[in-house]
């Protein structure tokens, strides 16, 4: 079938677009038209966008238009996933989407897409509450709305029944962002450890507040001791590939304080000796932090190590202990349900300490985190310090009464 017309383009934000083609009048709905399914593409220029449109046109002409009248939700989801290939910005996003789709297909097997109703969706969630947590339910309903919105645009259904299903967003558990004394204790704990790649990552996160994936992705060419800065050009993803950072603003230099600089200077010759023992040369392309085999540190393994490290040293615990072991007269616990300090929490700890304790202005803290908008820093990364709230209240009362209580 020949696909005519220029195609319709819908801007989704950033460099993301969705495209589709008009295939003519709909014989079942007078005055309406039928369309090809929308396909998500990424383009940084008009030339790239035009190229993506033509590639989709050829794909439809060669393979035919996917059946818009797919009877069952499972079948439509499969087609939706096929058209989503290559649209994800990171492996983790693709993995999350695949897990959501798998759960939706488990929840709604052999369900006709046009037979879905808000009541049916709600009852299905309730009937599966034995394995669906409130967070899971919120995420899956969000994904179902996304899929059914596409079904509406494709003309498969007229209204999205999931839009009327309201699932409250779970309130996240309150996290311990460490006060000044505990921050200092954590720093001293790191200093006491034998220098290793894992400890190096912890030092980098503590001192810069960068994302863990960005720390894993650092190579020595990114460290500038003369300018006392670190250039973030990569992140190391779960698929063990170096990728561009999360956003354009993320690809930038961050200051390297003297403590971190000295620590990295101490670490590099140690790392070089270890690498040479494996017959590996240490060059500017070598990862800043390496494991025992001289390879770049993997995020999954690091997360496991970090949880155990914090649980062993009073910065975390396992709520469900599955086994214990003794070493040097000390009992250590392992299990699941970890609660405590995590690698990604330093991104909140840094601005909270800078603004709440040291009085650094919001704009400066935002620049250190490489946020494009300071309101993102204020809304999501800076957490209130109770002591400061009491101090502010006392200062206000002092202003009103002109009484100095020597805070």
């Amino acid at each position: 079938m020949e696909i005519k017309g220029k195609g319709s383009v819908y801007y989704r934000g950033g460099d993301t677009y969705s495209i589709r083609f008009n295939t003519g009048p709909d014989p079942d709905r007078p005055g309406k038209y039928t369309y090809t399914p929308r396909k998500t593409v990424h383009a940084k220029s008009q030339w790239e966008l035009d190229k993506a449109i033509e590639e989709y046109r050829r794909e439809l002409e060669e393979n035919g238009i996917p059946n818009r009248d797919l009877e069952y939700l499972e079948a439509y989801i499969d087609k939706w996933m096929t058209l989503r290939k290559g649209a994800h910005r990171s492996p983790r996003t693709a993995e999350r989407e695949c897990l959501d789709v798998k759960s939706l297909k488990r929840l709604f097997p052999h369900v006709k897409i046009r037979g879905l109703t808000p009541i049916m969706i709600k009852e299905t969630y309730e009937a599966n509450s034995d394995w669906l947590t409130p967070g899971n339910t919120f995420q899956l309903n969000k994904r179902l709305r996304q899929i059914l919105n596409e079904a509406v645009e494709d003309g498969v259904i007229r209204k999205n029944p999931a839009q009327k299903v309201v699932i409250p967003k779970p309130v996240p558990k309150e996290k311990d962002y460490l006060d000044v004394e505990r921050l200092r204790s954590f720093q001293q704990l790191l200093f006491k450890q034998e220098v290793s790649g894992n400890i190096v990552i912890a030092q980098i996160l503590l001192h810069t507040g960068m994302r863990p994936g960005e720390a894993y992705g650092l190579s020595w060419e990114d460290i500038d001791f003369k300018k006392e800065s670190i250039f973030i050009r990569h992140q190391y993803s779960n698929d063990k590939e170096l990728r561009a950072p999360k956003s354009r603003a993320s690809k930038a230099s961050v200051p390297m304080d003297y403590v971190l600089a000295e620590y990295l200077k101490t670490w590099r010759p140690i790392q070089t000796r270890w690498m040479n023992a494996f017959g590996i040369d240490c060059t500017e392309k070598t990862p800043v932090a390496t494991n025992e085999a001289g390879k770049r540190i993997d995020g999954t393994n690091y997360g496991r190590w970090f949880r155990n490290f914090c649980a062993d040293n009073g910065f975390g615990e396992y709520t469900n202990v599955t086994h214990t072991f003794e070493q040097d007269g000390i009992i250590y616990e392992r299990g699941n349900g970890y609660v405590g300090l995590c690698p990604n929490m330093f991104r909140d700890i840094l601005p909270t300490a800078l603004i709440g304790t040291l009085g650094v202005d919001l704009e400066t803290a935002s620049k250190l985190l490489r946020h494009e908008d300071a309101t993102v820093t204020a809304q999501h990364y800076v957490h209130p310090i109770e002591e400061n709230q009491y101090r502010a209240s006392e200062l206000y009362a002092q202003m009103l009464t002109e009484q100095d209580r020597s805070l």
Side-chain angles (χ1 to χ4, degrees), residues 345-365:
M345 287 174 61
F346 292 105
R347 195 153 178 81
D348 298 71
I349 288 172
L350 178 68
T352 298
L354 289 176
I355 296 173
T357 303
L358 301 177
V360 174
D361 64 276
L362 175 62
E363 192 67 29
T364 298

Side-chain angles (χ1 to χ4, degrees), residues 229-248:
S229 66
I230 300 174
F231 184 68
I232 299 172
R233 72 182 80 225
H234 294 121
Q235 61 175 327
Y236 192 57
S237 306
N238 279 1
D239 63 350
K240 300 182 181 180
E241 293 286 339
L242 285 174
R243 298 180 178 275
K246 184 178 180 180
S247 65
R248 293 177 186 176

Side-chain angles (χ1 to χ4, degrees), residues 367-385:
K367 292 296 183 184
L368 284 172
L369 293 182
R370 292 159 291 122
H371 287 152
E372 292 182 307
D373 188 344
T375 57
V376 173
T377 311
Q379 291 176 3
H380 302 290
Y381 291 86
V382 180
H383 304 276
I385 298 175

Side-chain angles (χ1 to χ4, degrees), residues 37-204:
R38 296 194 184 204
K39 181 171 185 178
T40 302
V41 299
H42 296 290
K44 295 182 179 179
S45 66
Q46 185 63 46
W47 178 85
E48 289 183 352
L49 182 58
D50 292 340
K51 181 182 177 183
I53 292 172
E54 291 308 311
E55 287 176 349
Y56 188 36
R57 185 198 305 277
R58 286 196 299 272
E59 177 185 328
L60 294 169
E61 290 177 341
E62 292 173 4
N63 303 324
I65 300 174
N67 184 3
R68 291 184 301 276
D69 297 319
L70 296 166
E71 189 174 5
Y72 292 94
L73 178 62
E74 287 180 278
Y76 184 82
I77 287 176
D78 288 338
K79 287 291 183 182
W80 182 80
M81 285 294 288
T82 299
L83 292 170
R84 293 280 293 170
K85 286 183 179 178
H88 307 98
R89 306 303 298 272
S90 72
R92 181 166 292 183
T93 302
E95 182 181 349
R96 174 74 265 175
E97 194 168 274
C98 287
L99 290 173
D100 289 348
V101 162
K102 184 178 180 181
S103 296
L104 286 174
K105 291 166 76 172
R106 175 183 175 185
L107 286 168
F108 302 99
H110 313 299
V111 173
K112 290 186 177 181
I113 192 169
R114 291 181 178 176
L116 278 173
T117 64
I119 292 295
M120 179 191 296
I121 294 171
K122 290 178 183 177
E123 289 179 344
T124 299
Y125 293 151
E126 292 173 2
N128 290 274
S129 59
D130 58 327
W131 63 275
L132 281 180
T133 66
N136 293 148
T137 306
F138 176 81
Q139 174 62 28
L140 291 178
N141 194 62
K142 182 179 175 182
R143 186 72 66 195
L144 183 61
R145 283 202 309 267
Q146 179 187 9
I147 293 170
L148 294 182
N149 277 338
E150 292 287 327
V152 172
E153 294 173 350
D154 291 341
V156 177
I157 53 177
R158 294 188 178 184
K159 293 183 179 180
N160 183 347
Q163 291 286 15
K164 294 186 177 182
V165 179
V166 179
I167 305 296
K169 186 174 182 179
V171 178
K173 293 181 180 179
E174 191 170 330
K175 296 180 180 179
D176 180 5
Y177 290 104
L178 305 187
D179 56 26
V180 174
E181 290 306 314
R182 295 185 70 213
L183 269 176
R184 288 172 178 163
S185 296
F186 188 76
Q187 174 67 93
Q188 292 305 312
L189 173 65
L190 295 181
F191 282 146
K192 292 176 182 178
Q193 307 306 307
E194 181 180 355
V195 183
S196 68
N198 286 336
I199 300 297
V200 167
I201 291 291
Q203 291 279 24
I204 292 173

Side-chain angles (χ1 to χ4, degrees), residues 192-399:
K192 292 176 182 178
Q193 307 306 307
E194 181 180 355
V195 183
S196 68
N198 286 336
I199 300 297
V200 167
I201 291 291
Q203 291 279 24
I204 292 173
L205 297 178
L206 175 62
H207 284 264
T208 67
M210 70 174 66
R211 301 177 181 92
E214 295 169 343
Y216 309 144
L218 290 175
S219 298
W220 284 111
E221 65 178 340
D222 304 320
I223 309 298
D224 191 327
F225 289 111
K226 290 183 178 179
K227 293 183 178 179
E228 298 181 331
S229 66
I230 300 174
F231 184 68
I232 299 172
R233 72 182 80 225
H234 294 121
Q235 61 175 327
Y236 192 57
S237 306
N238 279 1
D239 63 350
K240 300 182 181 180
E241 293 286 339
L242 285 174
R243 298 180 178 275
K246 184 178 180 180
S247 65
R248 293 177 186 176
S250 297
K251 193 172 185 177
S253 292
V254 296
M256 176 171 55
D257 62 58
Y258 72 94
V259 175
L260 180 58
E262 290 302 316
Y263 195 86
L264 293 180
K265 288 176 182 178
T266 301
W267 159 244
R268 191 167 189 182
I270 296 173
Q271 181 194 44
T272 300
R273 289 195 296 273
W274 285 359
M275 299 281 283
N276 291 342
F278 284 98
I280 305 172
D281 292 330
C282 195
T283 69
E284 291 299 295
K285 297 293 184 181
T286 299
V288 170
T290 47
N291 57 26
E292 294 82 355
K295 303 293 184 180
R296 193 178 294 276
I297 285 179
D298 168 70
T300 301
N301 292 333
Y302 186 78
R304 185 183 304 113
W305 172 86
F306 191 89
R307 290 191 295 274
N308 290 339
F309 178 75
C310 288
D312 294 345
N313 291 281
F315 289 90
E317 63 178 341
Y318 292 105
T319 57
N320 179 31
V321 177
T322 57
H323 67 282
T324 62
F325 65 94
E326 182 178 347
Q327 184 174 322
D328 298 329
I330 301 174
I331 302 296
Y332 296 97
E333 297 179 340
R334 295 291 181 266
N336 48 50
Y338 175 80
V339 176
L341 189 62
C342 297
N344 59 1
M345 287 174 61
F346 292 105
R347 195 153 178 81
D348 298 71
I349 288 172
L350 178 68
T352 298
L354 289 176
I355 296 173
T357 303
L358 301 177
V360 174
D361 64 276
L362 175 62
E363 192 67 29
T364 298
S366 180
K367 292 296 183 184
L368 284 172
L369 293 182
R370 292 159 291 122
H371 287 152
E372 292 182 307
D373 188 344
T375 57
V376 173
T377 311
Q379 291 176 3
H380 302 290
Y381 291 86
V382 180
H383 304 276
I385 298 175
E386 187 174 12
E387 179 183 342
N388 287 358
Q389 295 178 51
Y390 281 104
R391 179 178 174 80
S393 178
E394 291 289 341
L395 286 172
Y396 184 66
Q398 177 182 314
M399 179 198 74

